């Protein structure tokens, strides 16, 4: 029952139906006594709060989750990174770099490619208005790892950053690849909707 409610919450969240996502995540929490499953559901709920721009609820929940995690593993790194991102979104004067770097080092040590991909995205976003060279560096890292993971969505995000940040000579090539990937993603989404 807990897993089914969580899955419905994920589906609602993906459809941007945040009110229902919240409702199903909260129902899922009532039906689990598994600590790992509970952490995952709480993390999903905190992310939904973030997407709704309920930053205080999101950071409060992420803080609570961080105190529950015993090991500094990939799960801890993901939660820490998300927590820092929300804190920074809530307050532009907050410096998320220590948490972003700590999360990245844990993910790198564990060989967590998906986690590293997310960290590169966060770092590229952070540096976008601070240091264009660093933003481009992390966008390139994200692009390479997204290709390795066959993540079209993340490749598109990295290419979009590269288009905004790189020199004029490369932009046409980036845009051409971006356009092709976007078309293939749209076709895949249409097929998925039909299913």
């Amino acid at each position: 029952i807990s897993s089914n409610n969580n899955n419905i919450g994920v589906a609602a969240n993906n459809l941007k139906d945040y009110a229902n996502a919240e409702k199903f995540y909260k129902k899922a929490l009532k039906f689990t006594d598994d600590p790992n499953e509970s952490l995952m559901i709480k993390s999903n709920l905190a992310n939904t709060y973030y997407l709704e721009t309920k930053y205080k609820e999101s950071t409060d929940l992420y803080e609570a989750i961080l105190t529950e995690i015993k090991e500094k593993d990939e799960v801890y790194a993901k939660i820490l990174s998300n927590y820092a991102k929300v804190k920074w979104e809530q307050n532009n004067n907050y410096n998320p770099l220590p948490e972003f770097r700590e999360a990245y080092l844990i993910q790198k040590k564990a060989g967590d490619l998906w986690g590293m991909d997310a960290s590169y995205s966060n770092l590229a976003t952070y540096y976008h208005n601070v240091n264009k060279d660093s933003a481009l560096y992390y966008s390139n890292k994200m692009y390479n790892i997204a290709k390795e993971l066959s993540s079209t969505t993340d490749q598109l995000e990295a290419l979009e950053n590269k288009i905004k940040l790189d020199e004029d000579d490369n932009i046409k090539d980036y845009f051409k690849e971006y356009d092709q990937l976007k078309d293939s993603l749209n076709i895949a989404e249409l097929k998925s909707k039909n299913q």
Side-chain angles (χ1 to χ4, degrees), residues 20-147:
N20 270 321
E22 275 186 49
K23 181 177 79 173
F24 283 106
Y25 291 143
K26 288 175 182 175
K27 271 188 186 178
L29 283 169
K30 290 179 186 176
F31 289 100
T32 186
D33 55 3
D34 180 296
N36 291 329
E37 186 176 37
S38 177
L39 283 175
M40 176 190 63
I41 296 165
K42 287 177 185 176
S43 176
N44 289 345
L45 180 57
N47 183 56
T48 296
Y49 287 146
Y50 165 71
L51 294 170
E52 290 181 285
T53 64
K54 294 180 177 178
Y55 297 135
K56 179 161 178 23
E57 291 91 334
S58 183
T59 54
D60 288 350
L61 188 50
Y62 277 132
E63 280 178 9
I65 296 168
L66 286 169
T67 62
E68 292 178 37
I69 299 175
K70 306 297 181 225
E71 276 185 56
K72 289 194 173 185
D73 59 6
E74 302 94 56
V75 173
Y76 173 84
K78 178 182 177 183
I79 301 300
L80 180 65
S81 187
N82 287 342
Y83 167 75
K85 182 170 73 172
V86 177
K87 287 277 286 187
W88 178 47
E89 196 80 34
Q90 186 178 16
N91 174 7
N92 286 340
N93 294 321
Y94 179 78
N95 180 6
L97 281 180
E99 287 95 346
F100 284 168
R101 288 187 179 131
E102 181 183 353
Y104 170 74
L105 291 174
I106 293 167
Q107 292 155 344
K108 184 176 181 182
K109 184 178 179 186
D112 177 8
L113 297 181
W114 284 104
M116 290 167 62
D117 178 58
S119 284
Y120 290 143
S121 173
N122 288 336
L123 288 162
T125 301
Y126 173 79
Y127 280 113
H128 192 84
N129 293 321
V130 177
N131 182 328
K132 300 261 190 229
D133 288 342
S134 293
L136 182 59
Y137 171 81
Y138 288 115
S139 295
N140 283 324
K141 294 288 239 177
M142 180 187 180
Y143 174 76
N144 292 334
I145 212 163
K147 276 189 88 164

Side-chain angles (χ1 to χ4, degrees), residues 113-114 117-118 142-159 177 181-182 184-185:
L113 297 181
W114 284 104
D117 178 58
M142 180 187 180
Y143 174 76
N144 292 334
I145 212 163
K147 276 189 88 164
E148 189 177 339
L149 292 167
S150 300
S151 172
T152 305
T153 306
D154 290 352
Q155 286 177 66
L156 286 170
E157 179 185 332
L159 281 167
E177 186 174 357
L181 281 170
K182 188 74 171 165
S184 68
L185 183 64

